Amino acid sequence: MIYGRKFRKVLCIGLTLVIAVNLLLAFDAKGTLQNLILGGALKELHSPLSEWDGAVLKRLSRLEVELQHLEESMKLALKQQERVNNTLKRVTDIQKPVRAKLSGPRKRMPHMKLFPDSPLFKQWGEDLSEAQQRKAQDLFQKFGYNVYLSNQLPLNRTIPDTRDSRCLQKTYSSQLPSLSVILIFMDEALSIIQRAITSVINRTPSPLLKEIILVDDFSSNGELKVNLDEKIKIYNQKYPGLLKIIRHAERKGLAQARNTGWKAATADVVAILDAHIEVNAGWAEPILARIQDDRTVIVSPVFDNIHFDTFQVSRYELAVDGFNWELWCRYDPLPQAWFDLRDVTAPVKSPSIMGILAADRLFLGEIGSLDGGMLVYGGENVELSLRVWQCGGKIEVLPCSRIAHLERSHKPYALDLSSALKRNALRVAEVWMDEYKDMVYLAWNVPLQDSGIDYGDISSRVALREKLKCKTFDWYLKNVYPALRPIHNIVGYGTLRNALDDNVCLDQGPVPGNTPIMHLCHGFSPQHVYYHLTGELYVGHLVAETNADDRCLTDPGDGEKPTLEPCSKAAEKGLHLYWDFKPGKAVINRGTRRCLEIKKDPSGGYVLVLQTCTGQVWGIQHTVRNWGRNDSQ
Ligand SMILES: *[C@@H]1O[C@H](CO)[C@@H](O)[C@H](O)[C@H]1NC(C)=O
Ligand SMILES: [Mn+2]
């Protein structure tokens, strides 16, 4: 499968942007790239019927999630590419060794490649014996990164200093606040955690580093028990009292693990990090200085990428942290106001944080630390971000503070992350998003009433919001994140099925491409439609943003086939994008009066056509506020 091999799911941690930028470099034509990735993935979505079974469905759910990420990063990458042309050269330089190896003449393999399809051996491991390959592959399967290599690399290895040279000229007060570093982990390799600890000790000024707190969210691998305790003892012999470890007696999830670390911390400032990181030179001073300056700022360092196979570090471009209406985290372009400052070291105002953050310890407590009701993984960063902004704080990315972060090739534990995120997203929506919460339900294609999804007890979080006298989500949208554009007149959404056969659904069709089709129903976002009271019919994943377009079903006026057009362009050009529709009725174009209908094709499937109405009717999965229900027409 082209997908799983090439791309990794990144939730709020890790950066697809530069992966995409690097790919742009590798295949210079943008079109080729999109074809390769999106086209390839979508071809899978439209695989022949015979393949249609449980396994395919399962893969689809993963594919869908990853696709959306990819789409987002692609958009961002293309946008950012114009802005970063000058800095791209540097990325290329860092990448050179890898790319040279790829294109250069291949060495004769001394050993047979036992796992030619494993991502681990794409760029690494040519000289390994068969026994070594087996060992490395086993560890890779278990952890999702190259533990075999990690175990050989020095714990105190040097990594490239990825800061802009202007960061090196900054000076900081000699009276900075003290720092507690909290490292959260669950089933991490021991050498990875040790390297994180070593980097923190070596690259944080020792008078400022008060403690390192490890939080183990109930790991299952044995080496993290006695062996880790041994290592901690050795560190503490050299640096008395520096390391502490707290172990959960059951799995509590990311948000509660962070809270555990925060509660145990005693320094002025807490930095809450993953344990699969290496902090870079000078990472702490900008954080401490900024928080000393303003205790209500929650700061995010900039991530670089530690490759999961080679452990090489490549530099990621600066971006701000955002999210879409499903509350998936993603990277957004830098704001114009920051460019106007003409200072590459200046903090960047950010709508959200990603997986790592630093904050004034007491301030983080005053605003409610993390929501312990967030389960497993996902959503907790957006929750904290809305709370920080709405309740009187701010979020900034600090360009001079950089942390190299290991992006796994796969998650070692079999979790359906999207169902956890969906549940957590509804929780965020219910507590923080007021009348805009519907957008989250729409984006996830969940019914507004009786969703059947248990987002837990929110009463204490609602009480916190009242106690802190927090601002509305409307304020947040207008003042912090205007890129999100709520829509108020969607009255029907979900899958759209013709009464002739409800096994097939309207589907956006292959991408790239703009021809919708009928396809067996799977209910993932390529089959989501959003019908507006004003007549637009969006097809595909809900975007609803100012700088990106949803796609509208359009009657081109001639021929049989409807098309999908970017809605704002279609409206500008006066295309026929408005439809009359009610549940259980025909879908009729307001301009051409042609009907959206289906026709059996010779192979036994259905094709979607525009034709003189023959009386075919359609049903839509969900309706808003009983739209169309009691309509006798
Ligand atoms: C790492 O530690 C070893 C052994 O203590 C030492 O010899 C080496 O110089 C260190 N390397 C770096 C980059 O600090
Ligand atoms: Mn991580």
Side-chain angles (χ1 to χ4, degrees):
M1 193 166 124
I2 204 173
Y3 224 100
R5 279 207 309 274
K6 280 216 171 97
F7 293 99
R8 296 179 292 290
K9 190 168 350 192
V10 282
L11 272 169
C12 305
I13 322 170
L15 219 165
T16 36
L17 160 64
V18 175
I19 298 173
V21 171
N22 286 342
L23 278 166
L24 282 171
L25 293 172
F27 309 91
D28 20 355
K30 289 172 194 173
T32 322
L33 173 65
Q34 272 171 338
N35 242 324
L36 263 169
I37 306 162
L38 298 173
L42 277 155
K43 243 171 256 146
E44 294 231 10
L45 277 174
H46 299 284
S47 50
L49 305 194
S50 54
E51 261 186 53
W52 203 260
D53 55 21
V56 172
L57 258 179
K58 234 198 221 143
R59 279 194 307 171
L60 263 177
S61 84
R62 240 189 52 223
L63 196 65
E64 195 216 16
V65 164
E66 298 189 359
L67 243 188
Q68 277 170 19
H69 279 251
L70 201 59
E71 263 184 68
E72 307 281 6
S73 345
M74 185 68 60
K75 273 190 299 189
L76 177 61
L78 294 175
K79 248 189 257 168
Q80 287 243 341
Q81 208 196 8
E82 288 141 35
R83 283 187 168 156
V84 299
N85 273 340
N86 49 343
T87 28
L88 269 181
K89 204 173 166 305
R90 193 160 4 171
V91 177
T92 323
D93 289 338
I94 293 177
Q95 289 299 295
K96 225 174 240 156
V98 179
R99 302 213 297 135
K101 212 192 302 160
L102 277 176
S103 51
R106 295 218 143 224
K107 266 190 297 181
R108 229 176 64 79
M109 290 266 299
H111 300 285
M112 216 179 70
K113 226 172 183 175
L114 292 182
F115 308 99
D117 295 328
S118 169
L120 180 62
F121 295 100
K122 284 260 129 49
Q123 305 184 5
W124 175 85
E126 299 216 340
D127 301 326
L128 263 55
S129 73
E130 293 186 6
Q132 288 167 329
Q133 288 179 51
R134 276 197 200 89
K135 186 167 174 215
Q137 175 66 13
D138 269 4
L139 287 166
F140 173 68
Q141 285 296 347
K142 190 165 162 214
F143 290 96
Y145 48 71
N146 194 346
V147 178
Y148 184 91
L149 175 60
S150 172
N151 291 346
Q152 294 170 353
L153 293 173
L155 298 177
N156 63 351
R157 71 170 182 152
T158 23
I159 54 175
D161 186 343
T162 52
R163 290 174 295 174
D164 188 283
S165 58
R166 281 158 283 191
C167 291
L168 305 180
Q169 273 128 49
K170 291 251 146 195
T171 54
Y172 299 97
S173 151
S174 56
Q175 303 289 314
L176 290 173
S178 63
L179 177 65
S180 297
V181 174
I182 297 160
L183 299 174
I184 309 290
F185 63 89
M186 200 272 279
D187 287 356
E188 207 80 71
L190 180 59
S191 59
I192 293 289
I193 299 175
Q194 284 181 270
R195 193 168 294 107
I197 295 170
T198 309
S199 75
V200 170
I201 293 175
N202 289 351
R203 302 196 181 111
T204 312
S206 56
L208 301 179
L209 182 62
K210 187 161 185 195
E211 61 201 353
I212 299 175
I213 297 168
L214 305 176
V215 181
D216 176 2
D217 191 19
F218 197 56
S219 293
S220 55
N221 52 333
E223 68 170 0
L224 294 184
K225 305 271 155 34
V226 183
N227 293 5
L228 179 57
D229 286 341
E230 271 305 307
K231 304 290 182 199
I232 291 174
K233 218 185 273 168
I234 295 168
Y235 282 114
N236 278 338
Q237 278 162 8
K238 198 165 169 200
Y239 311 98
L242 187 64
L243 262 75
K244 303 184 177 73
I245 182 158
I246 304 169
R247 298 184 191 275
H248 283 170
E250 58 180 337
R251 184 76 37 83
K252 292 190 170 166
L254 194 55
Q256 289 192 49
R258 289 180 179 170
N259 276 345
T260 297
W262 169 78
K263 276 183 203 142
T266 59
D268 303 323
V269 170
V270 290
I272 305 179
L273 313 176
D274 293 345
H276 42 256
I277 51 102
E278 290 165 62
V279 297
N280 214 325
W283 77 289
E285 292 89 334
I287 293 175
L288 297 171
R290 184 68 190 111
I291 291 171
Q292 184 175 48
D293 210 38
D294 183 345
R295 71 189 289 270
T296 70
V297 183
I298 308 287
V299 303
S300 172
V302 183
F303 277 130
D304 291 308
N305 179 25
I306 303 173
H307 291 266
F308 69 87
D309 49 352
T310 61
F311 273 60
Q312 278 183 316
V313 173
S314 55
R315 183 177 194 273
Y316 274 166
E317 291 309 327
L318 185 61
V320 297
D321 308 335
F323 52 88
N324 63 13
W325 284 111
E326 286 170 301
L327 312 189
W328 283 107
C329 290
R330 57 144 187 241
Y331 290 91
D332 281 347
L334 297 163
Q336 191 54 46
W338 181 80
F339 287 103
D340 293 343
L341 293 175
R342 301 191 160 278
D343 175 6
V344 295
T345 70
V348 196
K349 173 181 160 179
S350 178
S352 183
I353 51 153
M354 292 270 164
I356 50 182
L357 67 119
D360 180 280
R361 180 173 61 85
L362 296 177
F363 177 72
L364 188 57
E366 284 159 27
I367 61 160
S369 58
L370 279 119
D371 177 2
M374 291 291 181
L375 301 182
V376 191
Y377 193 69
E380 67 284 321
N381 294 323
V382 175
E383 194 278 337
L384 176 62
S385 304
L386 297 184
R387 181 151 44 84
V388 166
W389 278 113
Q390 290 176 230
C391 308
K394 26 182 141 25
I395 297 170
E396 292 173 0
V397 175
L398 299 187
C400 293
S401 177
R402 307 200 62 117
I403 293 186
H405 171 263
L406 175 57
E407 274 169 33
R408 284 191 169 89
S409 170
H410 57 267
K411 295 273 173 197
Y413 29 89
L415 277 180
D416 181 359
L417 290 173
S418 71
S419 77
L421 178 59
K422 187 197 300 188
R423 177 254 181 225
N424 288 345
L426 298 192
R427 186 175 169 89
V428 177
E430 291 292 338
V431 177
W432 295 105
M433 297 175 72
D434 310 319
E435 70 270 29
Y436 299 100
K437 70 178 184 186
D438 289 6
M439 288 300 292
V440 178
Y441 283 77
L442 295 178
W444 278 103
N445 190 26
V446 167
L448 295 173
Q449 265 88 44
D450 306 319
S451 69
I453 295 168
D454 177 7
Y455 49 77
D457 181 359
I458 59 170
S459 55
S460 66
R461 302 311 283 183
V462 172
L464 174 74
R465 182 174 167 173
E466 270 161 31
K467 189 184 110 191
L468 297 174
K469 302 195 169 33
C470 305
K471 297 191 182 85
T472 60
F473 189 73
D474 183 70
W475 175 89
Y476 173 81
L477 280 182
K478 291 186 173 130
N479 294 279
V480 182
Y481 206 9
L484 292 184
R485 184 179 53 88
I487 300 171
H488 298 291
N489 61 4
I490 292 172
V491 287
Y493 62 100
T495 53
L496 189 70
R497 297 171 202 237
N498 190 294
L500 286 185
D501 187 339
D502 67 2
N503 293 309
V504 287
C505 286
L506 182 73
D507 185 299
Q508 68 181 13
V511 173
N514 64 345
T515 309
I517 59 173
M518 294 307 290
H519 190 274
L520 273 180
C521 294
H522 53 65
F524 295 112
S525 68
Q527 298 184 348
H528 294 173
V529 306
Y530 297 89
Y531 180 71
H532 296 53
L533 213 46
T534 39
E536 298 92 338
L537 191 60
Y538 289 2
V539 179
H541 152 74
L542 183 66
V543 179
E545 290 167 29
T546 46
N547 299 321
D549 245 337
D550 286 279
R551 294 202 295 169
C552 277
L553 187 75
T554 305
D555 182 345
D558 49 30
E560 268 199 331
K561 294 210 178 307
T563 62
L564 298 177
E565 308 292 344
C567 299
S568 58
K569 274 200 207 104
E572 256 168 50
K573 288 193 212 154
L575 304 183
H576 302 298
L577 72 157
Y578 303 106
W579 305 82
D580 282 325
F581 172 58
K582 292 226 162 126
K585 307 281 183 196
V587 176
I588 308 169
N589 191 279
R590 288 184 187 171
T592 66
R593 304 312 295 170
R594 297 203 293 176
C595 270
L596 184 72
E597 301 203 333
I598 63 176
K599 222 166 63 173
K600 262 242 169 349
D601 81 349
S603 71
Y606 287 99
V607 291
L608 191 62
V609 293
L610 287 168
Q611 60 187 14
T612 310
C613 305
T614 69
Q616 287 183 19
V617 297
W618 297 79
I620 195 157
Q621 193 178 3
H622 305 298
T623 56
V624 177
R625 288 181 292 276
N626 287 329
W627 165 70
R629 288 256 182 86
N630 310 315
D631 205 309
S632 54
Q633 286 189 319

